[in-house]
């Protein structure tokens, strides 16, 4: 519920993209959803547009989490920026967008 200005990343539906012919490994593209909220659309709107631009520019990025390293080959947005409207009560506004990742463990 707090703070009023926040961004969250959620897991969401991805998709299966066939199998590798030699190894038989199934290729899975995990899905994410970004949600930005703020007291006004003039704060939340530019922030989610900036995040969308960053996602659109990701290619061949390595990310280390604990002892594992991943290569994010690309991020493909699967939705436009979606305005969720204004909350009742606190009157905050939220925007969301969905994407899938092409990622491999190195």
């Amino acid at each position: 519920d707090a703070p009023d200005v926040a961004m969250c990343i959620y897991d969401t539906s991805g998709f299966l993209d066939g199998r590798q012919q030699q190894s038989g490994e199934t290729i899975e593209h995990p899905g994410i959803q970004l949600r930005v909220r703020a007291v006004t659309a003039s704060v939340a709107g530019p922030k989610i547009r900036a995040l969308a631009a960053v996602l659109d520019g990701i290619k061949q990025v390595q990310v280390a989490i604990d002892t594992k390293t991943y290569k994010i080959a690309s991020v493909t947005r699967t939705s436009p920026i979606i305005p969720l409207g204004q909350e009742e009560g606190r009157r905050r506004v939220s925007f969301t967008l969905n994407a899938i990742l092409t990622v491999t463990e190195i």
Side-chain angles (χ1 to χ4, degrees), residues 7-64:
M7 182 192 83
C8 294
I9 302 173
Y10 300 97
D11 289 330
T12 188
S13 296
F15 77 93
L16 299 178
D17 192 20
R19 292 186 312 157
Q20 295 285 346
Q21 201 167 31
Q22 290 186 351
S23 68
E25 178 185 358
T26 299
I27 301 167
E28 183 175 349
H29 297 273
I32 60 169
Q33 181 182 77
L34 285 137
R35 185 177 294 193
V36 173
R37 75 170 180 218
V39 177
T40 65
S42 63
V43 172
K47 181 57 74 178
I48 193 119
R49 286 191 294 277
L51 291 168
V54 168
L55 291 178
D56 290 344
I58 290 176
K59 57 183 173 185
Q60 306 302 327
V61 174
Q62 288 189 10
V63 178

Side-chain angles (χ1 to χ4, degrees), residues 87-98:
E87 294 178 3
E88 300 223 5
R90 297 190 74 164
R91 314 279 298 164
R92 299 180 294 201
V93 296
S94 294
F95 293 89
T96 188
L97 66 82
N98 299 300

Side-chain angles (χ1 to χ4, degrees), residues 53-65 68-76 101-106:
V54 168
L55 291 178
D56 290 344
I58 290 176
K59 57 183 173 185
Q60 306 302 327
V61 174
Q62 288 189 10
V63 178
I65 301 173
K68 294 184 179 181
T69 302
Y70 302 90
K71 180 174 76 172
I72 302 173
S74 66
V75 177
T76 304
L101 309 175
T102 301
V103 61
T104 55
E105 186 176 341
I106 298 175

